[in-house]
Amino acid sequence: MALVNEHFLKLPGSYLFSDIAKKVNTFKVTHPKQDIIRLGIGDVTQPLAAACIEAMYKAVDEMTRKETFRGYGPDQGYDFLIEAIIKNDYALRGIQLNNAEVFISDGAKSDTGNIGDILRHDNSVGVTDPIYPVYIDSNVMCGRAGVLEDGQWSNVMYIPCTGENHFIPQIPDKRIDILYLCYPNNPTGTTLSKQELKKWVDYALENDTLILFDAAYEAYIQDPEIPHSIYEIKGAKKCAIEFRSFSKTAGFTGIRCGYTVVPKELTGATLTGERISLNQLWNRRQSTKFNGASYITQRAAEAIYSPEGKEQIKKTISYYMGNAKIMKEGLESTGLKVYGGENAPYLWVKTPKGISSWRFFEQMLYEARVVGTPGVGFGPSGEGYIRLTAFGEHSDCVEAMKRIKTWLA
Amino acid sequence: MALVNEHFLKLPGSYLFSDIAKKVNTFKVTHPKQDIIRLGIGDVTQPLAAACIEAMYKAVDEMTRKETFRGYGPDQGYDFLIEAIIKNDYALRGIQLNNAEVFISDGAKSDTGNIGDILRHDNSVGVTDPIYPVYIDSNVMCGRAGVLEDGQWSNVMYIPCTGENHFIPQIPDKRIDILYLCYPNNPTGTTLSKQELKKWVDYALENDTLILFDAAYEAYIQDPEIPHSIYEIKGAKKCAIEFRSFSKTAGFTGIRCGYTVVPKELTGATLTGERISLNQLWNRRQSTKFNGASYITQRAAEAIYSPEGKEQIKKTISYYMGNAKIMKEGLESTGLKVYGGENAPYLWVKTPKGISSWRFFEQMLYEARVVGTPGVGFGPSGEGYIRLTAFGEHSDCVEAMKRIKTWLA
């Protein structure tokens, strides 16, 4: 008989955002006349950059004639996009990559979820805590996370990031095989300086740890001292895979495009100690279980790197960061302690008087009609925090702050 | 240290189509003035249907204004597309499905590759042979295929389909946990009648076997008696997952869209015999490791089901099937034995005098300047065959037949 993968059964039945949706729905049903402002889910709201739109029109038009029609593209993406990425996201920061080190995909969620395919099921895993749930859940699904004990997975090391340590994860005193880092961080909105990131690269090199570095929010960095790529740190090509996404950089949440960098010099080991190219394994994984991102999408992504595209996405990012500023100031004026929001589109708010995340979430929903995301949904160290996102409409952010001020006054 | 998934290392270093590309390239370098006609890879060549183009223009336009902008869509696809699929591909054939049973994706290659995530690593696997390499390779990658012994994987049962048995796979005398069926078949271009398919559904129900039914080519069926969906067979919802693709139906190889049907009543077992909904597991897998297909792509797919869209894709399919007819007649006139090409875009040609697939491939390349795909690349029972596809330009197909006739005369 066909047996199921029982690791799936260890997962909690529902996803954080479904739980939130249910609670919001209950509120709406019981309060049909009250409007709510959603600052919970990290989805963008502003239109696509004109340069991307133009590129898509053109790409669609190419599909109307057999002379310019495009069928299957290269499995790992078109060179026009790969070259734009290498030039703008890396070479300009002094990082050299070759085309075969960049893999275009339908988004960073797929890639961070699927990367585990190329790694043994019994590697130990480390995460900063709180963290994007996909890192944990995808490891649970293949058995790598172990079993759930008191809210923590037995084969996962949780590295706490809280107000107490200023959200700077402490280097562990034992080794981990695979470590997830996400900077600028989702959900806390905090960043790592070059010096702090270097400590992790050094740790990884020393311990033969593979770093899975998620830089999906790098476009929101305002401070020139904060690294955008882990490869700005010497030696990182020997120990890190980097994930990037156009979702938040250019509003591509509905368009679906991202990419993953797997340097040629990066290796993992076999049980007998032979070194194996991870680039080669990821290439094989993607060639077999993926068939390339849409041509039209890839043309849109290329346009982000045109002079007009760059200007346009910068403007949209400024719009969101303007929201973040208003929210940070608004929340702080009520006496709340707020982290993030300066180099990231997320604000991480300490709940007052030690109230739990879910309790604060419900109070804010019922008393201020504002939806956030309970911090504990991102891991044990998220308890006592709530996440707000800056992706909303400007006027909604202003109004939400008014409501929260009135509520907490 | 980070350990790699060593199952990957069991895979042959390169993929069938890369080997072919290399050989073709060698020919081109050594014969720079000779043109070749490619009837090897199954990629489409004709422009997209006007209805799809129009839908994409409209969808791109929606992305220009925040009132109509679309960010993250529903993980499993928009209802507008799911409902068009259920109505046209299923209800019209008497099959009732509900929306939660249809999962929109970026293509059937991803889905047939990823489906193994929800199944235990030690289920036994059955395939008709020859077969689409992704079914095998994705099982090798997770260890389910076992080890390679004399060109066959130890935990895979190969069910031969050859001229001798008229390409009708024989029901095995022992049970298999998971069985891949692809009809109309890639690579042989042959089909199964309702009676033959019913034998497999009955076998699956009796043996608690999960059928993974790939119907990517159903749009090419001309004979009204041949089933388009496995759910046309009574009981199939209890034993089968069905994969569909718009790649060949509507020329979406570069646009990327397909879908997978996982009926609610379909279950797998735990080791203790508990029955688990596969729909629920696939939903969890996709929610965690996938983030939906592009909105623009989904609108294009919806347009396939409009009255104009239906007419337009029918016309393109007729064009390709016209090619298939010319090729079949042309090849048969040289005395070659040809299968398929009547309800599928593939022709499966027996090599003359027992020549090997690769030998015939090279001869045809060097002597007729026509590229096919060696049958043995699809599995042991493909030895002594070559696959040709009908997706080329009409004039190229005519010219290719001329060349082959001259060569074999």
Side-chain angles (χ1 to χ4, degrees):
Chain A
M1 84 193 126
L3 293 171
V4 301
N5 174 354
E6 295 191 31
H7 298 304
F8 272 66
L9 309 180
K10 301 178 198 163
L11 285 166
S14 67
Y15 189 61
L16 173 62
F17 292 104
S18 327
D19 292 341
I20 294 171
K22 271 181 215 149
K23 286 188 193 283
V24 170
N25 205 40
T26 303
F27 176 85
K28 281 168 72 177
V29 169
T30 51
H31 303 74
K33 286 188 182 160
Q34 298 202 11
D35 69 310
I36 51 171
I37 299 175
R38 293 165 187 275
L39 303 176
I41 295 183
D43 196 5
V44 296
T45 54
Q46 299 303 301
L48 280 194
C52 299
I53 295 287
E54 204 182 311
M56 286 197 285
Y57 278 134
K58 206 170 146 234
V60 171
D61 184 62
E62 288 179 54
M63 293 297 200
T64 63
R65 293 175 304 278
K66 64 184 179 191
E67 295 73 23
T68 51
F69 174 81
R70 305 268 188 150
Y72 289 123
D75 278 343
Q76 314 300 4
Y78 281 98
D79 279 337
F80 61 74
L81 176 55
I82 292 173
E83 281 159 15
I85 286 168
I86 291 177
K87 184 179 156 198
N88 292 283
D89 289 342
Y90 294 98
L92 290 179
R93 297 186 192 282
I95 300 157
Q96 305 309 321
L97 291 175
N98 79 47
N99 288 18
E101 292 175 305
V102 178
F103 298 80
I104 309 298
S105 76
D106 66 328
K109 188 179 175 196
S110 305
D111 288 357
T112 53
N114 291 330
I115 194 75
D117 279 12
I118 67 169
L119 301 165
R120 247 181 94 95
H121 67 281
D122 51 4
N123 282 292
S124 61
V125 175
V127 293
T128 57
D129 173 39
I131 202 67
Y132 180 46
V134 166
Y135 307 157
I136 300 280
D137 290 0
S138 60
N139 280 295
V140 174
M141 287 177 173
C142 67
R144 198 180 287 119
V147 292
L148 194 59
E149 291 164 349
D150 299 330
Q152 303 207 1
W153 295 91
S154 58
N155 198 32
V156 176
M157 182 191 286
Y158 293 77
I159 306 166
C161 293
T162 61
E164 283 71 51
N165 62 14
H166 309 287
F167 298 92
I168 295 172
Q170 210 190 324
I171 303 285
D173 51 12
K174 59 173 199 174
R175 59 172 309 290
I176 316 166
D177 298 319
I178 304 169
L179 173 73
Y180 289 85
L181 292 178
C182 172
Y183 286 100
N185 187 252
N186 175 17
T188 68
T190 59
T191 55
L192 277 194
S193 67
K194 257 189 191 148
Q195 297 90 301
E196 286 301 328
L197 189 54
K198 184 176 181 310
K199 289 184 194 167
W200 285 102
V201 170
D202 291 345
Y203 166 84
L205 292 170
E206 208 167 295
N207 290 280
D208 200 1
T209 297
L210 174 65
I211 297 178
L212 301 175
F213 191 78
D214 186 348
Y217 301 95
E218 62 79 30
Y220 289 81
I221 295 172
Q222 310 291 314
D223 179 344
E225 293 303 309
I226 293 169
H228 288 243
S229 164
I230 194 166
Y231 305 123
E232 293 179 45
I233 312 296
K234 212 181 146 185
K237 278 190 185 178
K238 284 197 164 56
C239 64
I241 290 174
E242 181 162 291
F243 302 94
R244 293 278 188 106
S245 167
F246 297 114
S247 287
K248 309 302 160 64
T249 302
F252 272 37
T253 51
I255 300 290
R256 311 303 318 139
C257 200
Y259 66 88
T260 291
V261 178
V262 190
K264 289 265 189 182
E265 57 214 274
L266 181 65
T267 59
T270 65
L271 276 184
T272 59
E274 194 191 342
R275 303 303 302 192
I276 304 291
S277 158
L278 295 183
N279 180 287
Q280 206 177 306
L281 296 190
W282 184 243
N283 187 43
R284 194 62 160 90
R285 192 272 167 211
Q286 292 294 83
S287 306
T288 304
K289 296 169 79 170
F290 180 63
N291 220 340
S294 156
Y295 171 69
I296 294 163
T297 295
Q298 290 189 63
R299 282 293 185 197
E302 180 194 21
I304 297 169
Y305 297 103
S306 66
E308 307 74 38
K310 281 181 192 174
E311 264 318 301
Q312 291 157 3
I313 65 166
K314 210 171 139 187
K315 220 168 136 185
T316 305
I317 288 170
S318 296
Y319 177 89
Y320 294 135
M321 290 310 286
N323 289 345
K325 190 162 184 280
I326 286 165
M327 290 163 69
K328 197 174 171 80
E329 289 170 1
L331 294 163
E332 282 174 344
S333 77
T334 69
L336 286 168
K337 183 82 192 136
V338 184
Y339 303 94
E342 288 174 339
N343 293 289
Y346 295 119
L347 291 94
W348 191 243
V349 186
K350 182 97 191 88
T351 63
K353 301 173 204 151
I355 312 178
S356 78
S357 293
W358 276 110
R359 180 95 194 272
F360 191 76
F361 165 86
E362 299 223 8
Q363 288 179 349
M364 194 165 74
L365 172 60
Y366 280 81
E367 291 167 37
R369 286 164 292 132
V370 173
V371 181
T373 309
V376 70
F378 299 98
S381 297
E383 181 55 283
Y385 292 89
I386 197 155
R387 188 189 77 172
L388 297 180
T389 78
F391 292 122
E393 280 295 311
H394 187 76
S395 54
D396 284 344
C397 294
V398 172
E399 170 65 17
M401 290 310 109
K402 247 194 230 163
R403 291 186 186 180
I404 290 174
K405 280 182 205 172
T406 311
W407 164 45
L408 293 177
Chain B
M1 78 195 131
L3 295 170
V4 300
N5 174 354
E6 294 191 33
H7 298 303
F8 272 66
L9 308 179
K10 301 178 198 163
L11 285 166
S14 67
Y15 188 60
L16 173 62
F17 293 103
S18 328
D19 293 341
I20 294 171
K22 271 181 215 148
K23 286 187 192 282
V24 170
N25 205 40
T26 304
F27 176 86
K28 282 168 72 177
V29 169
T30 53
H31 303 74
K33 286 186 180 159
Q34 299 203 9
D35 70 309
I36 52 170
I37 299 174
R38 294 167 186 273
L39 303 176
I41 295 183
D43 197 4
V44 296
T45 54
Q46 299 303 301
L48 280 194
C52 299
I53 295 287
E54 204 182 310
M56 286 197 286
Y57 277 134
K58 206 171 147 231
V60 171
D61 184 63
E62 288 179 52
M63 293 297 199
T64 63
R65 293 177 304 279
K66 65 184 180 192
E67 294 72 23
T68 51
F69 175 81
R70 304 269 188 151
Y72 290 122
D75 278 342
Q76 314 299 4
Y78 281 99
D79 280 337
F80 62 74
L81 176 54
I82 293 174
E83 281 159 15
I85 287 168
I86 291 177
K87 184 180 156 197
N88 291 282
D89 289 343
Y90 293 97
L92 290 178
R93 296 187 193 283
I95 300 158
Q96 306 309 322
L97 291 176
N98 79 48
N99 288 18
E101 293 175 305
V102 178
F103 297 80
I104 309 298
S105 76
D106 66 329
K109 189 180 176 194
S110 305
D111 287 357
T112 53
N114 291 329
I115 194 75
D117 279 13
I118 66 168
L119 301 165
R120 247 182 95 92
H121 67 281
D122 52 4
N123 283 293
S124 61
V125 175
V127 293
T128 56
D129 174 38
I131 202 68
Y132 180 47
V134 167
Y135 307 156
I136 300 280
D137 290 1
S138 60
N139 279 295
V140 174
M141 287 177 170
C142 67
R144 199 179 288 122
V147 292
L148 194 59
E149 290 163 348
D150 301 329
Q152 304 209 357
W153 296 91
S154 59
N155 198 32
V156 175
M157 181 191 286
Y158 294 77
I159 306 165
C161 294
T162 62
E164 284 71 51
N165 63 15
H166 309 286
F167 299 92
I168 295 172
Q170 210 191 322
I171 303 288
D173 51 12
K174 61 173 196 171
R175 57 172 312 288
I176 316 165
D177 297 319
I178 303 169
L179 172 74
Y180 290 84
L181 292 178
C182 172
Y183 286 99
N185 188 254
N186 174 16
T188 67
T190 58
T191 54
L192 277 194
S193 67
K194 259 191 191 146
Q195 295 90 305
E196 286 301 329
L197 189 54
K198 183 175 184 307
K199 288 183 195 168
W200 285 102
V201 171
D202 291 345
Y203 167 84
L205 291 172
E206 206 167 299
N207 290 281
D208 200 0
T209 297
L210 174 64
I211 297 178
L212 300 175
F213 191 78
D214 186 348
Y217 302 95
E218 61 79 31
Y220 289 81
I221 294 173
Q222 310 292 312
D223 178 343
E225 292 303 309
I226 294 170
H228 288 244
S229 164
I230 194 166
Y231 304 124
E232 293 179 44
I233 312 295
K234 212 181 147 186
K237 280 191 183 178
K238 285 198 164 57
C239 65
I241 290 174
E242 181 162 289
F243 303 94
R244 293 279 187 106
S245 166
F246 298 114
S247 287
K248 309 303 160 62
T249 302
F252 272 38
T253 52
I255 301 288
R256 311 306 315 139
C257 200
Y259 66 88
T260 291
V261 178
V262 190
K264 290 267 190 179
E265 56 212 273
L266 181 65
T267 59
T270 65
L271 276 183
T272 57
E274 194 191 343
R275 305 303 301 193
I276 304 291
S277 158
L278 295 182
N279 179 287
Q280 205 178 306
L281 296 190
W282 184 242
N283 186 42
R284 194 60 159 92
R285 193 270 167 213
Q286 292 294 83
S287 306
T288 303
K289 297 169 78 170
F290 181 63
N291 219 341
S294 155
Y295 171 68
I296 295 163
T297 295
Q298 291 189 62
R299 281 294 185 196
E302 179 194 23
I304 297 169
Y305 297 103
S306 66
E308 307 74 37
K310 282 183 193 174
E311 264 318 301
Q312 292 157 1
I313 66 165
K314 211 170 139 189
K315 220 168 137 185
T316 306
I317 288 171
S318 296
Y319 177 90
Y320 293 135
M321 290 309 287
N323 289 346
K325 189 162 186 277
I326 286 165
M327 290 163 70
K328 198 172 169 83
E329 287 170 1
L331 294 162
E332 283 175 343
S333 78
T334 70
L336 287 169
K337 184 79 194 141
V338 185
Y339 302 94
E342 289 174 337
N343 293 290
Y346 294 120
L347 290 94
W348 191 243
V349 186
K350 183 96 193 88
T351 64
K353 300 173 206 149
I355 313 176
S356 78
S357 294
W358 276 110
R359 181 95 195 273
F360 191 76
F361 165 87
E362 299 223 8
Q363 288 178 349
M364 194 165 73
L365 172 60
Y366 280 80
E367 291 167 38
R369 288 165 291 131
V370 173
V371 181
T373 309
V376 70
F378 299 97
S381 297
E383 181 56 284
Y385 292 88
I386 198 155
R387 189 190 75 173
L388 297 179
T389 78
F391 292 121
E393 280 295 310
H394 188 75
S395 54
D396 284 343
C397 294
V398 171
E399 170 64 18
M401 290 310 108
K402 247 192 227 163
R403 292 185 186 180
I404 290 174
K405 280 182 205 173
T406 310
W407 164 44
L408 292 177

